[in-house]
Each structure stands twice: as C-alpha cells, then as structure tokens.
Amino acid sequence: MLYRIPARRPAAPVTIERNCTLKRFLVRLTAAVLAAALLLPLAGCTQGSGVNSFTWFVEELPTNLDPQVASAVSDVIACTNLCGGLVRLDAEGDPQNDLCESWSVSSDGLVYTFRLKEGLTYKATRGEATSYAITAEDFVYAFQRIFSPETRSPYAVEFSAIEGGSAALAGLADPSDIGVEAADSLTVVFTLTEPDDNFVHKLALPGAMPCDEEFFLSTGGSYGLTSDTTLSSGSFYLYNWTSGGLFLRRDVSGGLIDSLRLVQNTGSTQSAQDLILNERCTAALDDTSTPTSLRSVRYSDTTWCMLFNSQHPALSNTLLRQALVSAARQAASLTVDTSIYQPASGLVPEGLSVGSVDYRQTAGDPVPDLGNAYVLYRGARQTVTSSDLMGITILVPESAGLTQAVESINSVWQRELSLFFSIEEVPDETFDARMADGEYTIAIAPVTCTDGSVYTLLRSFGPDGLCRYDDVGYETLLTQSTTAANSTVRCQLLAQCERQLLAEGLVLPLFAQQKRLLLADGVEGLIFDPYGPVLDLTWTVKN
C-alpha cells in the first residue's frame, strides 16, 4: 500500500482522456529486479544544512543511475526522484500526468497513445541546462534498451505485453521492431499483443523513464555511472555524487523539499524516535512499541513463522510436519508483545497486491484443516524412527522476544505427541548465518516481503531457500504465475502455492510483525511504500 502524508499539492491541470478508476495499485518490481536487494533501512537520517533538506540513510550508496537497469534499493530511490516518466503514481496508486499532458487507450485495450508536454529538456549536474530535449523518441529508445538482450534490464518482464518485446529479448527480432513508436516528436504510441490493465501504472517504473540516444552513445558505456554521464528528466537534478553520498536538488518554492540526500548510516545507536526528536532525522522506520507523540504510518511486511527443514531425515516426512503443525495450533494464547505481534492471517502479509488485485482478499483463508495431530503422528511413525527424531531443536533469534511463545508450543507437543525439543536461542548474526546455510531443523523465523512482490516471497521457498523445499509442482505453479493472462489468474496461482506450503506442513504462520514509519512535525506530502521501494518527494513539503 502506498502511503502519502497529506500536503499542499500544487494545483495543476490534469487532462486524461481515460477515466482511470482502478483499485489501488502498488508498483511492484519482480523477483528479477530486487531478488538481491534488502528493504531500505531507514534507521535514521541527518538533516542537511538547508531548512528544506531531506536525508535518507541507505545500506549502500547508489552506484547506477541508469533507469533502464537500476535495481538496487538506493538506485531505484534515486532514479524515482531524479527521473521523470510519462506518469507518476499518487498515494492511492493512481497514475497522474508527469511528463505527458494526456493519454488515451483504444477500445480493445491494445494501443496506448501519450502526448508529451512541450518544451521539456534534460538537466545536467547542478541543474545546468542542456540542449537535449525530451521527446517521444527518447521513450522509444528507452524501451528498445529494455528489450535489448545486452542491456539485461530487470524491467523487461513487466512490459512483456508489448508487441515484439519477447522476441527481441530472445534475440529473434530487432529491438527497433517492438511496439513502441514515435508518431511525432511529442507523441508516443505503445502497441500490446494482449490487454494489460496495469500497463499505465507500470509506466511509473524507473525502466520506463526516457533515455536520449545521442547522449547515451556519447557516454561510451558509462551512462548513469558518473555525474558527467547522467541527465535528469525529473523534478530533482543531480547536484553531487561522491563517496559520501548522492545529493539531489531542485529549484522550488512554497516549502517544498529542495534537497534530497542519500547517505550511509554511520552506525548511530539512537532510537528512531530520538533521532527525530533530536532533529537529526526527519523520518525513520521503527519496529518497537515505544510510546510516541510523533506521527506514524503503520504497516506489516513480515510474518513470523515456524519453518521445518524438509531435508532433515524426520522432517522430510509430510505426516510428521503436519502433525506438529496441527498440534501447535492447539496452543492457547501465546505470550507475546501484542503491540508488535498480531496473529497472522496467512503466510503472505496483508496489504499486498498482485497487479490491481488485493492478494489477501482474493486468495482468501489459506489455512488448511490438517486433521487430528495424533493420528497424523502415528502415521508418520510408520517410517520415522526414534533415532530420526533425535537432535531436533527449535532455533530462535534472541532479539525476537518469542521464546516464551515457543515454549508454549513445545508444551503442547509434549502433551499431545509425547515430543519435546530443545530450544536454541542464538544471537541474530548466528541465526541469520544458520538460516542461510540451512543449518536448522525447526526455526522461528521472519519471512519478509522486501519488494512488495507476492511471487518473490513465495519464490524464497525452494531447494536452496527456506525449508529447502524441492517440489516440481510448486515450481510449475510459480512459473505459470509469471505468464498468467491477468492479475486475477496470477493471484489464484500464487494462492495455490501458499496453500501448498501450508498444507504440507512446511510453514506455520504465527505472527504479523507491526512496524511504523515515524515522521517529524512539518513533513507532509511524502509518498512512501515500504515494499516498492518508493520514496517519492515530488510533493513533499517541510514547514
């Protein structure tokens, strides 16, 4: 879900030749885009010298400002503010005019025509004017780059409906033959092979930002890698790019943020709230339950689950896993901090969308009826020996505060199945390393949606991932979801994957972890999405 803190948004005429009243839609990057990226850590930010500056701490400094290939979290954040697109999403996920003044769609939903605003030009470093005009040809070239195999753009999958795109990507056709044309210098026409209800929304992705061919070729392969080889088409321009951070500025008035600074966290141990109250930070993520008078936006991107390693001799038995899950559900109210942990409604957190479809609402209740725990256990013991059960432990990270809840589940297993396992509470670094190496039997672990993609979350369960799950049918469903005809079908296929994980007793969702974005007074109009990642300061003011 996109979050926007209301602001005095500049009045501007919006001419849209199609009434776009789709449900809330969140720009989602596919697994190929952010598979290796972590959720932007907003532990704190030091304010700049200007009264309207905004500083954001990032795990890694931006290294690539080429919007057609940007995939790392900090790169995406930078390109979102540095580059303009045909459209830009508002807080409701609806597309608003950005560089275009209007658009229309054919009755069959296959042809999209965009009319650009006149007089648009790129800016160079420090806002210097350039002779490069932003034209329809720049959007054509951007999409030709997306579908060029040499580019290896992570955005190609999002625009697979464009005519000729898949063939070009496979090397079977020239990228110049795809269904993106410039009818004239201000008119871009997209032709699709099949309707895509979310096509306009996807045009807000960095990959859909314009690219001037002449300038691109002049950089000799270093486009977007240095200050001198980067152009701005958005509301901000590149002011400086050093080992200390990336600094964007813009010329504005009326209280709008005029400086965005992306810098690395220097390791401050202050809490998010203290960073803001001490005026070192204007906004920060916080996962504590500390009372606060600051404004906050709540969300949940993490489901704490009990995971079973299917490669273990005993836990490879489906009946045993099902018995353990069925018995664990009989545990009475688990003792946890309810301001942080709420009962999970499923493996996939609430608030996620698949295209324009709300996943949790469409998928429904995924929790299966596994049957009587003791009957399942007796069936498992036909092949599982007592020696197989030796050495099973429950791995828990020290900082989670969930050990008491695990002890309650362990007590139920002892009562219902005459099983009792040791609990290993380990430091977080040790926990992370053992999970990554698959060195656990049962674990209480966070399953986090880092990019807003249901597919990515479910894809994390595989032979080399969580639970070490190796199943051809599961992999087939995931693959089919990537080529589904529409969002509803894709959502249904992903829901089958979620139900399969739960039905086979691989995962027991326990708690949805509550988090919040804390905001200092005076900051308004920030568009924030913890999943996208989206941090859009286009309409942000600081009074």
Side-chain angles (χ1 to χ4, degrees):
M1 182 179 295
L2 279 167
Y3 301 92
R4 180 171 183 263
I5 292 76
R8 297 189 303 273
R9 180 172 171 178
V14 178
T15 304
I16 301 178
E17 298 177 18
R18 181 183 182 222
N19 182 22
C20 185
T21 57
L22 296 176
K23 295 180 179 179
R24 288 187 177 185
F25 174 77
L26 221 14
V27 175
R28 308 295 189 193
L29 303 187
T30 62
V33 182
L34 291 176
L38 299 176
L39 178 64
L40 178 67
L42 309 178
C45 45
T46 305
Q47 293 185 7
S49 57
V51 295
N52 288 320
S53 65
F54 198 106
T55 304
W56 215 230
F57 276 174
V58 293
E59 183 79 6
E60 299 290 341
L61 292 179
T63 59
N64 194 330
L65 301 183
D66 178 348
Q68 275 71 59
V69 301
S71 61
V73 171
S74 57
D75 295 347
V76 172
I77 295 293
C79 287
T80 297
N81 291 279
L82 185 67
C83 302
L86 291 169
V87 299
R88 185 171 293 270
L89 298 188
D90 62 18
E92 285 68 43
D94 292 327
Q96 304 296 332
N97 292 356
D98 193 8
L99 300 184
C100 83
E101 66 178 19
S102 65
W103 77 78
S104 61
V105 187
S106 62
S107 58
D108 61 4
L110 297 179
V111 180
Y112 290 74
T113 304
F114 289 81
R115 181 72 180 177
L116 296 181
K117 298 173 182 177
E118 297 185 9
L120 298 173
T121 59
Y122 294 94
K123 290 183 179 180
T125 305
R126 298 181 182 270
E128 293 182 6
T130 73
S131 60
Y132 295 102
I134 299 175
T135 68
E137 285 83 359
D138 296 348
F139 288 94
V140 173
Y141 187 63
F143 277 88
Q144 289 177 355
R145 290 191 62 222
I146 286 177
F147 289 107
S148 172
E150 291 77 17
T151 304
R152 296 182 180 179
S153 174
Y155 299 95
V157 65
E158 295 289 351
F159 296 102
S160 59
I162 291 179
E163 186 177 72
S166 298
L169 197 62
L172 302 177
D174 193 281
S176 62
D177 294 330
I178 64 173
V180 185
E181 300 177 286
D184 55 51
S185 63
L186 295 178
T187 307
V188 188
V189 180
F190 297 89
T191 303
L192 311 185
T193 56
E194 59 184 12
D196 182 351
D197 292 341
N198 301 314
F199 182 72
V200 176
H201 298 79
K202 294 175 183 178
L203 292 175
L205 289 168
M209 307 304 181
C211 179
D212 186 280
E213 182 176 7
E214 179 183 351
F215 180 79
F216 175 83
L217 295 176
S218 73
T219 65
S222 61
Y223 179 65
L225 300 180
T226 69
S227 297
D228 292 337
T229 59
T230 300
L231 293 180
S232 165
S233 56
S235 57
F236 287 87
Y237 56 81
L238 179 57
Y239 183 77
N240 205 1
W241 191 3
T242 70
S243 59
L246 182 79
F247 308 94
L248 307 184
R249 287 189 180 179
R250 62 177 172 179
D251 302 320
V252 295
S253 60
L256 283 170
I257 292 293
D258 57 19
S259 173
L260 171 60
R261 306 171 68 244
L262 300 180
V263 298
Q264 284 184 304
N265 192 336
T266 56
S268 172
T269 58
Q270 287 185 297
S271 68
Q273 182 173 198
D274 287 341
L275 286 167
I276 295 174
L277 293 176
N278 292 334
E279 298 185 351
R280 294 190 58 200
C281 181
T282 50
L285 283 185
D286 179 55
D287 59 5
T288 73
S289 58
T290 306
T292 180
S293 59
L294 296 172
R295 291 178 300 160
S296 64
V297 176
R298 289 192 172 275
Y299 67 94
S300 177
D301 64 350
T302 299
T303 304
W304 281 84
C305 302
M306 178 170 284
L307 305 179
F308 300 88
N309 191 333
S310 63
Q311 297 302 308
H312 183 271
L315 296 174
S316 63
N317 187 291
T318 302
L319 290 176
L320 178 61
R321 297 195 305 265
Q322 290 174 330
L324 293 172
V325 169
S326 181
R329 289 180 185 159
Q330 300 178 37
S333 179
L334 301 177
T335 303
V336 294
D337 184 343
T338 56
S339 65
I340 297 178
Y341 298 110
Q342 295 292 320
S345 58
L347 171 60
V348 178
E350 295 185 1
L352 297 185
S353 299
V354 176
S356 59
V357 176
D358 182 281
Y359 176 80
R360 194 73 277 154
Q361 181 178 349
T362 302
D365 183 2
V367 180
D369 181 5
L370 298 177
N372 182 273
Y374 184 74
V375 172
L376 292 167
Y377 177 65
R378 293 309 304 169
R381 289 305 302 267
Q382 298 297 315
T383 55
V384 175
T385 66
S386 297
S387 61
D388 291 334
L389 295 170
M390 298 295 292
I392 292 180
T393 61
I394 309 171
L395 188 66
V396 185
E398 285 180 347
S399 65
L402 295 175
T403 301
Q404 193 169 353
V406 177
E407 290 172 346
S408 297
I409 293 175
N410 214 5
S411 296
V412 173
W413 284 341
Q414 186 177 36
R415 183 186 72 231
E416 298 294 326
L417 308 176
S418 298
L419 293 174
F420 190 85
F421 305 122
S422 298
I423 298 176
E424 289 186 88
E425 193 175 45
V426 299
D428 290 4
E429 290 186 4
T430 302
F431 179 86
D432 293 340
R434 289 183 57 178
M435 291 297 296
D437 295 336
E439 295 180 1
Y440 70 95
T441 48
I442 301 175
I444 303 298
V447 178
T448 301
C449 185
T450 59
D451 63 357
S453 169
V454 177
Y455 171 87
T456 303
L457 186 148
L458 295 174
R459 190 70 187 84
S460 67
F461 291 85
D464 298 319
L466 299 174
C467 300
R468 296 302 195 264
Y469 185 44
D470 190 359
D471 183 84
V472 174
Y474 184 79
E475 295 295 327
T476 299
L477 286 172
L478 283 176
T479 300
Q480 290 175 343
S481 73
T482 64
T483 57
N486 55 61
S487 299
T488 300
V489 174
R490 186 181 185 191
C491 187
Q492 292 170 344
L493 290 168
L494 292 172
Q496 289 184 50
C497 291
E498 181 184 23
R499 287 193 294 271
Q500 182 170 327
L501 291 174
L502 271 58
E504 295 205 6
L506 291 156
V507 185
L508 173 60
L510 296 172
F511 309 107
Q513 183 176 356
Q514 306 302 299
K515 300 181 181 180
R516 58 188 178 180
L517 173 72
L518 299 180
L519 294 154
D521 290 337
V523 176
E524 301 175 331
L526 175 68
I527 294 184
F528 163 72
D529 171 16
Y531 307 115
V534 173
L535 177 67
D536 191 344
L537 280 78
T538 300
W539 300 298
T540 306
V541 299
K542 186 166 70 171
N543 299 315

